[in-house]
Amino acid sequence: MIPGAFDYHSPKTLDEAINLLNDLGEDAKILAGGHSLLPMMKWRLAEPAHLVDISRLSDLDYIKEENGFLCLGAMVTESGLENSELIAEKYPILKDTSEVIADPLVRNLASIGGNIAHGDPANDHPATMLALNAIVVVCGPNGSKREINIDEFFLGPLWTALGENEILTEIKIPMPKQQSGGCYIKLERKVGDYAIAASAVTLDFENGKCSSSGIALTNVGPTPVRAKDAQDVLIGTDVSNEVIEQASNLAAEASQPVGDHRGSEEYKRGVVKTLTGRAILKAKNRAMGGN
Amino acid sequence: MSKCKTSPEVGGMGHSVKRKEDARFIRGQGTYVDDVVRPGMVYMDIVRSPYAHAKIKSINTEKALAHPGVAAVITGETLKEYNLHMMPTLMSDTQMVLPIDKVCYQSQEVAAVIGTDRYSVADGIELVEVEYEPLPVVVDPFKATDSDAPIIRDDKEGQESNHIWHWEEGDKAATEEIFNNSDVVVKERIYIPRIHVASIETCGCVSEFDKATGQLTVWMTTQAPHAIRTVLALVAGHVGLQEDKIRVISPDIGGGFGGKVPVYPGYVIAIAASVVTGLPVKWIEDRRENLQADSFARDYHMDCEIAADKDGTLNGLRIKTLADNGYADAAANPSKYPAGMFSICTGSYDFKNAFVEVDGVYTNKPPGGVAYRCSFRVTEAVHAIERMVDMVADEIMMDAAELRMKNFIPKDAFPYHSPTGWEYDSGDYHAALQLAMDNIGYDELLKEQKEKRERGEFMGIGICSFTEVVGAGPSKDFDILGIKMFDSSEIRIHPTGKAIARFGTKSQGQGHETTYAQIIAEELGIPFTDVSVEEGDTDTAPYGLGTYASRSTPTAGAAAAMACRKIKAKAKKIAAHLLETSEEDLEWEVGKFSVKGVPDKAVTIQDIAFAAYTNHPQGLEAGLEATHYYDPPNLTFPFGSYIAVVDIDSGTGEVKVRRFMAVDDCGNIINPMIVEGQIHGGLTQGLAPALYEEISYDDEGNITGGSFMEYLVPTAVETPHWETDKTITPSPHHPIGAKGVGESPTVGAPPAIVNAVVDALSHLGVKHIDIPITPEKVWRAIHKNEVA
Ligand SMILES: Cc1cc2nc3c(=O)[nH]c(=O)nc-3n(C[C@H](O)[C@H](O)[C@H](O)COP(=O)(O)OP(=O)(O)OC[C@H]3O[C@@H](n4cnc5c(N)ncnc54)[C@H](O)[C@@H]3O)c2cc1C
């Protein structure tokens, strides 16, 4: 479990980092918290010749509300999210998500940007970001900058819309409406494990009826899976237990699990159904002012 | 033992004194093998097989040798020159050190790279090119003896199948007769999967050979340094490594649990490399190597049957077991016991008769299996009997506690002769179970369960009343490679009344530096803080077979008491001389001899020690020391009753152990705090296989649980709050009445948890679930009606 040899670069600015990526080409990898990349290097599943460390770019570490969005800098750590009062108060789904990732030691280093940029369908933030309809902000050479809709970001296992010389700099999440709630529920074999399955749910209510919803699933497909039919069935209803049952079944149908150590396909679908039902109920309670 | 004989300052038996070794451990100042650094030391890393069974067509070392920092590549051919490519296992089987023509399990050692630093050897192993030709594999042990199965051990003359041995115990005909005449027969196939000790410290060594003196020193992660030295001398005597030239040092050990008893190929390669190069060689496994290649535990397929009467009287027990040994029988059992003490499987119950048979087979998996925190297959035996007793209870619709109470061996029946030949030393099983039931509120729990079941909630209560057999063992029956399983203690009292004590055992976290000192404090009245305890260096410690199978207190602990008694006998002579009286007029009271009826006329053990060097009586040797090699007259039989309460999440199948009450009886207790610590750790290591851990293989023999991603060692989060209590039934034959405790909880916890889960699901028709009980197995029982 010793990685191959590599060169280490520690740029001082974002531009310098992008230039390094541009110059070094496909032999270079960004190093953020290192908690997805380094395990792969130690198992020699990844052998990049250059690491460009962006963890010291402190201007990528911020949590703020601006122009109707919650903006998260790419280098915000999981523990940063977990301990933020703003997040706890207005975005409990993000706190739910951070709290079930790995263990405190990993969370102190792992970054939100890395969690998404890695493109691992087993990671927890991708589904949450789908449910939240997030926007991914990406910077490239010569000051270029683009915004990618989260639905277009994840292309396959460990494959995203990011270019080789691009850096994910920010995640933008639309600020919640008056009456809205969200929740992330994950089932793991033991603490610190990746999900057997997990379900992220957001709900907006207007006049007692569900006006919009986001439902997405972790680790039950090649990318995080948006359960569109499940979302739709909730709209315009008061999200009764019957509707929740329907939506949970639709989420289970939308999932595309494969059998592995964490369980068979059939079991994982069953888990998606259970978790989605519980997450909808909890999101609804939160929208109504509960916990 | 109700009251302590000694003061807290002396700290004899019964005092919860703090562990002496912790001063260095909690400061991070222990010395483990990987902390050993020698001048000029080189490093070793190992190329391992990706195949479970394959011919080796060629090994090309050119590129590796060209890599900067790589000094040498060792292959089977290299070792063959010294006839070191094969080695014996502790079970008198043989095992490759490095292969010449084929590999027999995935992750098997194929070649070793030696280099100047840890990094270049890690690069070097990537550059060794091995060409394999895959061979058909044997994964399923039930197919191992099929006529068309490939013969794995074609290197062994006369080995015409993959069958290794057959072993049986008990009266077959009489047991059959009982089965024919009983009202009720229940049967089940119970599998205990492969698991791994997964100690925090992996295995490794630093081997240093001095070409000038011919002296070999090996710092090694071993639980049995003396036995290892003898094995090394037997294996390598022909290349000049005689036993007097070999020094094995087992420094601080980060957990052993049986996994550090065997000799692994890596040790032998490192030793060979240092003998050839004359340089110190360090080899430390990484986590994956440790999980994938080192000895496993368990892997028993048990066909169990109990014959009973309708009123719940247990009559007969029959178990036929298939033992998957992997590529070699590399278990660490006493020689005469290929299936260890598995025949303890009649457990705590007074069966009329029993018959047990076990067949060992070879498969294309790593060799083993070790006695993981278990006295040689007792975990398997207890799992079988405790599951089966619950199945009988279910069948005749009797309460599981009531059925146990009805069939326990009564306390006045000890010493009890079991139908499979054991003589249980002492026990009071009714008292232990009753205490556990009272503590946990058994009747209220039954009521709660009934109410919950009516509401559709799943809650279960599970009992395990186990009997252990530890302390191997009496020399008439117990040896490893011919070496009898005594153990030893050598105690020297210094002139100032302080002492050093050395032992043939080796602590790996058990707290020997404290508990042995407490035994000596109890016997001689010397404060435990004045006694230094040393183990693990073959140059200084007396010979012993090491620490595993809960044997240290039963053997070396007894040796300490006996050595103290020799010292006390001499001390009495010196006391008589000092007090100018005769020995008959003296009486002993903790730490001093006084003249009967004149308590003021007394000399302390410290006075006596001083006199032993400054004023010893004429005709008596100077000095105050003794050595004792203790050959136990019998084994000891610790026992206990555990009750687990589980809640099940029917939506996900998750099992939560809500409560766990453990009542243990390990005879007289040396240090209650250490005993409780041992029980907490052991219970957690019992929870682990019950719900989480398994090493499994696919059809090609690829390991599918070979890292901590898949091998799920529970953490504090999964671990329930353990509730503990005790009864005390001293061993009648042990000098201090102690029995050994380290393994009881690992043995007793799994069936209690499984019984609780099965109980929670019993109204659905569930009779049995094999461990580990994953959430999916439970979910299937609830949602898919899949019941065993
Ligand atoms: C024991 C353990 C358990 C874990 N359990 C979980 C879990 O349960 N759930 C979960 O979600 N995660 C889990 N993780 C993963 C952890 O959250 C990762 O740290 C995280 O996924 C990646 O973040 P990082 O900052 O460490 O990224 P790194 O490992 O540094 O990078 C990951 C990848 O993303 C790229 N990258 C990183 N940042 C950027 C950026 N800003 N722009 C472009 N590319 C970038 C890197 O080049 C690399 O390819 C676990 C990790 C460990 C070690």
Side-chain angles (χ1 to χ4, degrees), chain B residues 708-770:
Chain B
F708 277 167
M709 280 275 278
E710 306 303 345
Y711 194 74
L712 304 175
V713 179
T715 71
V717 176
E718 287 75 30
T719 306
H721 171 71
W722 304 117
E723 301 170 65
T724 59
D725 204 345
K726 59 178 174 291
T727 59
I728 294 177
T729 313
S731 168
H733 63 75
H734 187 275
I736 57 170
K739 286 188 168 186
V741 74
E743 303 171 340
S744 294
T746 320
V747 165
I753 294 169
V754 178
N755 286 345
V757 176
V758 172
D759 180 53
L761 303 170
S762 59
H763 57 297
L764 307 177
V766 175
K767 307 257 181 239
H768 174 69
I769 306 180
D770 274 333

Side-chain angles (χ1 to χ4, degrees), chain B residues 280-463:
Chain B
V281 177
K282 179 183 272 190
W283 166 67
I284 306 285
E285 291 173 333
D286 70 23
R287 179 59 62 189
R288 283 197 297 177
E289 296 179 286
N290 180 260
L291 282 176
Q292 295 184 8
D294 286 2
S295 285
F296 67 91
R298 325 292 187 235
D299 217 345
Y300 261 31
H301 301 259
M302 307 177 287
D303 283 314
C304 312
E305 292 175 275
I306 285 190
D309 289 339
K310 278 204 196 82
D311 71 351
T313 307
L314 302 177
N315 297 327
L317 173 73
R318 204 154 50 185
I319 306 184
K320 184 172 168 48
T321 293
L322 187 65
D324 184 344
N325 280 81
Y327 146 74
D329 183 2
N333 296 321
S335 305
K336 288 185 201 155
Y337 298 84
M341 272 93 129
F342 186 67
S343 59
I344 193 72
C345 56
T346 54
S348 309
Y349 311 101
D350 193 9
F351 280 95
K352 296 186 184 70
N353 236 316
F355 179 68
V356 204
E357 54 187 323
V358 185
D359 287 276
V361 294
Y362 291 127
T363 58
N364 286 115
K365 299 175 197 163
V370 295
Y372 171 8
R373 207 168 179 162
C374 143
S375 187
F376 315 118
R377 304 295 186 183
V378 178
T379 314
E380 291 86 334
V382 168
H383 205 83
I385 183 67
E386 287 302 305
R387 275 275 50 240
M388 292 308 290
V389 167
D390 259 38
M391 292 191 65
V392 173
D394 185 64
E395 178 71 24
I396 62 170
M397 294 196 294
M398 190 176 200
D399 175 73
E402 192 186 336
L403 181 72
R404 285 179 168 80
M405 290 289 195
K406 185 178 168 75
N407 289 283
F408 278 151
I409 299 159
K411 76 172 179 201
D412 55 13
F414 292 89
Y416 169 81
H417 292 268
S418 88
T420 51
W422 301 104
E423 185 189 308
Y424 293 18
D425 58 349
S426 62
D428 185 348
Y429 302 152
H430 292 90
L433 178 54
Q434 193 59 55
L435 182 59
M437 290 166 71
D438 293 347
N439 283 347
I440 203 162
Y442 186 72
D443 292 337
E444 295 86 85
L445 286 171
L446 289 176
K447 233 177 90 200
E448 183 193 340
Q449 183 188 32
K450 192 159 170 279
E451 289 164 10
K452 290 208 160 140
R453 204 167 264 188
E454 278 160 17
R455 294 202 299 268
E457 292 170 40
F458 294 84
M459 164 189 166
I461 308 157
I463 302 175

Side-chain angles (χ1 to χ4, degrees), chain A residues 44 190-191 261 264 267 278, chain B residues 123 649 652 704 713 718 776:
Chain A
R44 298 195 181 219
K190 68 173 234 193
V191 72
H261 254 91
S264 66
Y267 172 61
R278 290 176 187 176
Chain B
D123 290 340
D649 179 335
T652 60
T704 54
V713 179
E718 287 75 30
E776 174 157 7

Side-chain angles (χ1 to χ4, degrees), chain A residues 91-125:
Chain A
Y91 306 90
I93 184 176
L94 284 173
K95 189 173 160 73
D96 293 345
T97 311
S98 295
E99 276 173 352
V100 293
I101 289 177
D103 50 57
L105 300 178
V106 173
R107 296 204 288 271
N108 285 340
L109 286 169
S111 68
I112 178 87
N115 197 290
I116 291 166
H118 193 48
D120 186 344
N123 273 1
D124 291 298
H125 280 297

